[in-house]
């Protein structure tokens, strides 16, 4: 069994060089290459490879599927960055900021299609693999749309928020694991358990992200904390604080949301998150989904020792301070 | 054998109602539905159905493939309209003009994914069908990029122009025919011949489009003629005129390109197209590719009578005044 860092290294060293991008048109493929070389944690393709290795040696099918998943993820990043008007990604200019909006749209499109091109090389269980990939890709778009809708809505429920992060983030992690398992020849029940593991881990990961953005240490995060608060982003913490707040607290939250971004706004909102118990509720929810995830992994019917790399990765994603 | 208009009617009546779009999120699916209900000639899916019927009765595989092709085509229209900043499509507001740019990007994305979702239902020859679809989809993106690149280039050759229209327009027509043939169980050689038929027909169609835009009758076109000239668009006519022009004519063309759009600009440029022989060259090229297309169709090894609907459609597309 290979560790998370072993597999990340192996994936990184073959990923971009294994892609069949031609040289021309340069204005299409150079930006694609730029983005793919910005790096990233490569969590999704490595989950795919690890899930395969639970059941069989990692073969061509798993490598192609891992490429497809990482390409799809990067396609969504390119288009999300346009929609979010984001200037930076991994400390570098976003693709559309560097190459323009037309390039952003078209490079995203062609990267999505290359994801399918790579996926079509999978031989084992191809129809099942493609159907899951399609279902997931549609869900990711729906999650992104919900996230956009939330920006202008004032009646978002916690349940809707959990649905949104499930669609936008978790299902692709779950899909990566299940497709990896399918390329390794896993039987239905084990593949489903891994899917659930990924889904619950993804929800826990996003809640952890909300907590770190609010309460994390600026030095460790590598960015100022409170970014979500400054942007009035509807996170679990804000929604829960609004739900739990007394009349006075509700008014204070509403007033803070109307206040310009600044350190005082962050400090005051954090105090309200604590006073309303939203921080504890978010930590509890995070622990709940993390526990579910680890239980799903236990349920996969293979020797425990083989699951250690996945358990290690889950701990790395869920027990973190940045 | 069903005629073009029969099959257009059948496709139209089942297309949108057969798509598995859910209701939610409304902001994602309502714009998709809006665009798909704007109509269009549905040439590509009908080519797919016709090609299937050359070899076998039209079954589920062909219907799914036809849906996939029409969805893919509409996805490219949505994103092209954003890149071209087009306000109108089929006389109605373009999707991004009506619903905003975020909707334009995300609805295009999800429509592309639904194209793959529909395609994945094909049972016969699925790997071959998906591989051709992927190759074609990549080529369409490359053609769009070349078209964008041409806007700011002054050294575009006729050969590059033909490559661009082949990628942007023809290969999807060719792919529609070949996939239809594959769902009908066609053997390799016949499927290839139909692909070539579609490719040459597509090139002839685009050259005809260039001619009509320049010399067509405004009343019959339903739009003012000379749109390409007003926009300084690099068409076969302009490139050929520049290639054939004497020193004086070259200067006149350059001067006209620097002139504001107006009826005089159109009239003067048309006179130069005629004086340089560009109009005749374009008509000759159009006839050349049309002849190739009809010869490709003749070469398909099935009884001539069965090909009549496709021949009729080709005549409709190539011998037209609007």
């Amino acid at each position: 069994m290979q560790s998370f860092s072993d597999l990340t290294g192996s994936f990184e060293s073959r990923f971009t060089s294994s892609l069949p991008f031609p040289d021309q048109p340069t204005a299409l493929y150079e930006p694609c290459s730029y983005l793919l070389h910005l790096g990233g944690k490569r969590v999704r393709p490595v989950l795919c490879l690890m899930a395969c290795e639970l059941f069989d040696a990692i073969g061509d099918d798993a490598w192609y599927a891992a490429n497809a998943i990482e390409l799809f993820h990067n396609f969504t990043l390119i288009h999300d960055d346009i929609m979010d008007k984001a200037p930076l990604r991994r400390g570098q200019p976003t693709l559309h900021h560097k190459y323009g909006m037309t390039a952003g749209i078209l490079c995203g499109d062609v990267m999505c299609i290359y994801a399918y091109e790579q996926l079509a090389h999978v031989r084992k269980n191809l129809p099942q693999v493609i159907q899951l990939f399609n279902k997931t890709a549609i869900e990711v778009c729906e999650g992104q749309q919900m996230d956009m809708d939330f920006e202008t809505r004032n009646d978002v429920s916690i349940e809707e928020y959990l649905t949104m992060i499930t669609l936008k983030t978790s299902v692709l992690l779950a899909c990566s694991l299940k497709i990896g398992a399918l390329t390794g020849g896993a039987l239905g029940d084990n593949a489903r358990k891994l899917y659930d593991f990924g889904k619950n881990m993804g929800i826990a990961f996003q809640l952890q992200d909300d907590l770190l953005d609010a309460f994390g240490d600026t030095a460790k995060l590598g960015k100022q904390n409170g970014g979500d608060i400054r942007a009035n982003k509807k996170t679990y913490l804000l929604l829960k604080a609004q739900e739990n707040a007394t009349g006075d607290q509700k008014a204070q939250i509403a007033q803070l949301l109307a206040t310009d971004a600044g350190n005082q706004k962050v400090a005051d909102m954090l105090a309200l998150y604590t006073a309303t118990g939203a921080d504890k509720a978010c930590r509890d929810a995070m622990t709940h989904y993390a526990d579910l995830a680890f239980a799903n992994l236990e349920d996969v019917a293979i020797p425990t020792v083989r699951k250690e790399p996945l358990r290690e990765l889950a701990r790395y994603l869920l027990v973190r301070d940045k």
Side-chain angles (χ1 to χ4, degrees), chain A:
Chain A
M1 303 302 294
Q2 299 171 70
S3 71
F4 170 52
S5 61
D6 286 346
L7 283 173
T8 306
S10 303
F11 179 77
E12 196 63 51
S13 68
R14 28 195 310 174
F15 175 50
T16 50
S17 60
S18 71
L19 296 176
F21 289 166
D23 291 335
Q24 298 285 333
T26 314
L28 184 62
Y29 291 113
E30 189 192 300
C32 289
S33 178
Y34 165 76
L35 187 88
L36 296 178
H37 283 94
L38 287 184
K41 289 192 292 289
R42 313 298 193 193
V43 168
R44 293 156 194 81
V46 171
L47 282 173
C48 172
L49 297 171
M50 282 180 164
C52 174
E53 210 182 22
L54 289 178
F55 304 97
D56 199 355
I58 296 169
D60 284 349
D61 277 6
W63 287 111
Y64 278 121
N67 282 355
I69 289 162
E70 185 64 11
L71 286 168
F72 180 82
H73 175 58
N74 279 273
F75 141 65
T76 65
L77 296 181
I78 298 171
H79 282 189
D80 286 3
D81 282 343
I82 300 176
M83 294 182 239
D84 296 342
K85 301 184 174 59
L88 292 176
R89 155 95 33 211
R90 295 168 189 147
Q92 301 291 322
T94 48
L95 191 150
H96 73 282
H97 251 247
K98 189 172 167 80
Y99 296 99
M101 224 230 343
T102 292
I105 294 174
L106 202 52
C107 292
D109 291 347
V110 85
M111 205 174 287
C112 175
I113 295 162
Y114 271 101
Y116 279 98
E117 191 276 333
Q118 289 288 293
L119 199 68
H121 288 88
V122 170
R123 287 160 176 262
K124 199 179 275 180
N125 293 317
L126 180 64
Q128 207 182 336
V129 166
I130 291 191
Q131 274 163 37
L132 174 59
F133 192 87
N134 286 332
K135 174 173 171 284
T136 305
I138 289 166
E139 289 171 340
V140 170
C141 290
E142 292 175 353
Q144 171 66 9
Q145 183 64 55
M146 289 182 78
D147 199 12
M148 300 272 111
D149 291 346
F150 286 4
E151 285 182 9
T152 53
R153 280 181 54 194
N154 289 312
D155 58 350
V156 179
S157 68
I158 295 273
E159 192 189 337
E160 285 179 300
Y161 178 75
L162 290 173
T163 302
M164 184 276 283
I165 61 174
T166 301
L167 295 174
K168 183 166 170 165
T169 304
S170 297
V171 294
L172 188 57
L173 299 169
C175 166
S176 303
L177 286 157
K178 186 166 177 182
I179 285 182
L182 290 171
T183 64
L187 297 178
D189 208 41
N190 278 338
R192 265 193 302 279
K193 291 277 160 49
L194 280 166
Y195 184 89
D196 292 341
F197 162 63
K199 193 161 104 168
N200 287 316
M201 181 174 69
I203 298 170
F205 178 82
Q206 185 59 52
L207 294 173
Q208 174 79 323
D209 233 37
D210 290 0
L211 284 164
L212 283 173
D213 188 272
F215 294 101
D217 186 305
T218 294
K220 286 183 184 160
L221 291 175
K223 61 175 183 184
Q224 221 178 5
N225 77 327
D228 291 342
I229 293 173
R230 290 171 218 272
N232 284 350
K233 197 159 165 40
K234 290 181 186 78
T235 63
Y236 189 97
L237 286 163
L238 176 58
L239 298 171
K240 199 69 185 182
Q242 289 175 319
E243 186 182 296
N244 286 358
T246 62
D248 272 4
Q249 289 170 328
K250 276 196 170 56
Q252 290 168 38
I253 292 171
Q255 204 181 346
L256 278 176
L257 289 173
T259 306
D260 283 346
N263 291 338
Q264 194 56 49
K265 171 173 176 157
V266 174
D268 291 350
M269 193 65 97
L270 291 180
L272 280 161
Y273 287 174
T274 306
T276 56
D279 63 337
K280 181 176 182 309
C282 191
R283 279 197 306 276
D284 288 350
M286 189 267 166
T287 306
H288 168 72
Y289 286 104
D291 288 348
L292 284 179
F294 285 110
N296 295 140
L297 186 57
E298 285 313 302
D299 283 351
V300 178
I302 55 159
T304 299
V305 60
R306 298 187 70 86
K307 304 177 201 168
E308 191 45 37
L310 273 175
R311 221 178 280 115
E312 179 205 359
L313 175 54
R315 279 192 300 261
Y316 164 78
L317 293 175
L318 299 182
V319 186
R320 59 196 168 107
D321 54 13
K322 60 177 182 173

